[in-house]
């Protein structure tokens, strides 16, 4: 075999491996978390959908994603930030939210991409028709299997566009009689969510975040938090996994983003994540 032929075969093999890694990186998988909580007589299961960016799984009706949620048998579904992108349509996200709200109690807290859209007020109006929108003082209560749960939402921990007091408003409305969940899109602001910069701080029981997309390129055990994340830069600290801070549990989803604009920056060893969270005693 000539040297030229060997080079072509080697190049083809490298391209095949890269294509396989890219395709595998776009394949959704369920990631399970177990959160211990005093007072829970029965297991409460939450499916957390983060960073969808208006993409779809299966047909454009998100049939594969809907099927995965149903098979997880949740007690409620929580939509984290960036269900839509900063540009493009909103129909896939709204259709998914509408379909799942017919089966389960659903809640939605927005992220930075929603806030960058010129039509965000219209989108929020449509979303509110489907399920409660969690942001600052706008929280929601639900009783699941005898357990009172209160859900809050915040885009980040500091100032985001027209909002500057979301976390303070969440703290003001916390109630020790409830299990308090904060859906806070940007995980790098964990110190704010833990109340280190607020005079009215209390401890959330559970914090759910996304935004970092798992660090995009990961090498398990070596580059486990990934190569890059927005606001965190190279070698980020908070992109995936479960963390404990005293009585507070923080879960960061790698999210479900796989829009076509990311095809040139494929997810490597970083499959899109459907988060399945069990809260029990």
């Amino acid at each position: 075999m000539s040297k030229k032929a060997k080079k072509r075969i080697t190049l083809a093999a490298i391209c095949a491996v890269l294509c396989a890694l890219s395709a595998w990186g776009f394949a959704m998988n369920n990631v399970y978390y177990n959160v211990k909580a005093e007072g829970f007589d029965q297991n409460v299961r939450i499916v957390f959908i983060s960073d969808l960016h208006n993409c779809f799984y299966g047909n454009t009706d998100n049939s594969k994603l809907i099927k995965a949620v149903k098979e997880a048998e949740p007690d409620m579904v929580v939509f984290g930030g960036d269900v839509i992108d900063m540009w493009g349509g909103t129909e896939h996200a709204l259709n998914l939210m509408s379909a799942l709200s017919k089966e389960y109690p659903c809640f939605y807290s927005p992220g930075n991409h929603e806030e960058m859209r010129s039509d965000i007020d219209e989108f929020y109006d449509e979303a509110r028709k489907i399920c409660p929108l969690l942001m600052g003082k706008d929280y929601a209560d639900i009783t699941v299997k005898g357990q009172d749960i209160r859900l809050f939402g915040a885009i980040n921990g500091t100032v985001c566009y027209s909002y500057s007091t979301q976390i303070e408003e969440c703290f003001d409305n916390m109630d020790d009689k409830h299990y308090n969940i904060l859906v806070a899109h940007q995980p790098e602001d964990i110190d704010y969510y833990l109340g280190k910069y607020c005079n009215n701080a209390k401890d959330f029981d559970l914090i759910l975040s996304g935004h970092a997309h798992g660090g995009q390129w990961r090498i398990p055990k070596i580059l486990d938090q990934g190569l890059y994340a927005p606001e965190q830069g190279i070698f980020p600290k908070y992109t995936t996994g479960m963390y404990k801070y005293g009585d507070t549990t923080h879960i960061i989803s790698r999210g479900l983003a796989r829009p076509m604009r990311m095809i040139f920056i494929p997810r490597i060893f970083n499959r899109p994540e459907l988060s399945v969270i069990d809260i029990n005693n």
Side-chain angles (χ1 to χ4, degrees):
M1 184 181 295
S2 67
K3 289 184 179 180
K4 185 179 289 187
K6 288 181 179 179
K7 287 182 179 179
R8 288 176 178 174
I9 292 173
T10 301
L11 182 61
I14 292 172
C15 289
V17 170
L18 290 175
C19 288
L21 282 173
S22 180
W24 181 81
F26 282 133
M28 176 181 62
N29 73 318
N30 289 11
V31 178
Y32 292 84
Y33 300 91
N34 194 60
V35 179
K36 296 297 183 182
E38 295 183 4
F40 274 64
D41 296 326
Q42 300 183 62
N43 185 75
V44 174
R45 173 166 285 188
I46 300 172
V47 163
F48 179 44
I49 296 175
S50 179
D51 296 275
L52 185 67
H53 286 269
N54 199 49
C55 70
F56 56 89
Y57 287 79
N59 297 322
T60 55
D61 60 357
N62 258 312
S63 56
K64 183 177 180 180
L65 181 50
I66 292 171
K67 182 174 183 288
V69 172
K70 289 183 176 180
E71 288 176 349
E73 299 183 336
D75 295 300
M76 70 176 84
V77 176
V78 175
F79 294 93
D82 292 0
V83 293
I84 55 176
D85 215 16
M86 63 185 293
W87 54 67
T90 63
E91 67 279 3
H92 302 317
L94 287 171
N95 289 342
L96 174 68
M97 295 167 72
S98 179
L100 291 178
S101 70
K102 296 174 182 176
E103 303 284 339
Y104 313 100
C106 290
F107 305 90
Y108 164 51
S109 179
N112 59 299
H113 270 258
E114 283 94 335
E115 286 297 310
M116 288 188 280
R117 295 182 64 103
S118 60
D119 62 347
I120 189 54
D121 290 335
E122 291 85 348
F123 177 77
Y124 284 164
D125 287 343
E126 292 300 316
R128 285 190 179 95
K129 295 175 184 178
I130 299 171
C131 62
L133 193 153
L134 312 171
M135 193 155 54
K137 65 182 183 298
D138 298 322
Y139 61 89
D141 289 341
I142 183 174
T143 300
V144 181
K145 297 177 179 176
Q147 182 63 49
D148 294 328
I149 298 172
R150 180 164 289 182
L151 296 103
F152 300 88
I155 294 171
N156 63 12
T158 55
V159 178
C160 187
Y161 308 98
S162 60
Y163 308 107
S164 61
T165 61
Q166 288 184 2
I167 292 300
E168 287 89 344
E169 290 173 342
C170 292
F171 285 135
D172 284 341
N173 289 290
M174 287 178 67
D175 180 355
D176 292 338
K177 296 179 181 179
H178 292 78
Y179 185 84
N180 293 288
I181 300 175
L182 172 66
V183 187
H185 185 60
Q186 299 185 200
E188 70 278 1
D189 285 343
I190 182 61
D191 285 348
Y192 289 89
Y193 310 148
L194 296 174
K196 292 185 179 181
Y197 305 103
C198 297
N199 294 326
N200 60 339
K202 299 177 183 177
D203 292 332
F204 292 102
D205 296 292
L206 177 63
I207 301 172
L208 305 178
S209 299
H211 186 58
H213 298 188
Q216 207 60 41
W217 294 2
R218 299 175 61 242
I219 303 176
K221 308 299 182 183
I222 299 174
L223 198 63
D224 205 38
Q225 290 296 324
L227 181 64
Y228 174 83
E231 280 69 57
Q232 297 184 63
I234 300 295
F235 305 127
K237 187 177 181 180
Y238 303 108
T239 69
T240 180
M242 184 167 72
Y243 302 79
K244 284 289 291 183
Y245 303 95
D247 295 329
T248 301
T249 300
H250 186 200
I251 292 175
I252 307 172
S253 173
R254 297 196 303 269
L256 289 162
R258 59 171 190 178
M260 289 303 294
R261 66 184 178 83
M262 290 178 61
I263 198 167
F264 299 110
I265 314 176
R267 300 174 69 130
I268 297 178
F269 294 119
N270 179 29
R271 292 171 64 186
E273 172 181 330
L274 182 68
S275 308
V276 183
I277 302 162
D278 288 318
I279 307 172
N280 54 59
N281 191 19

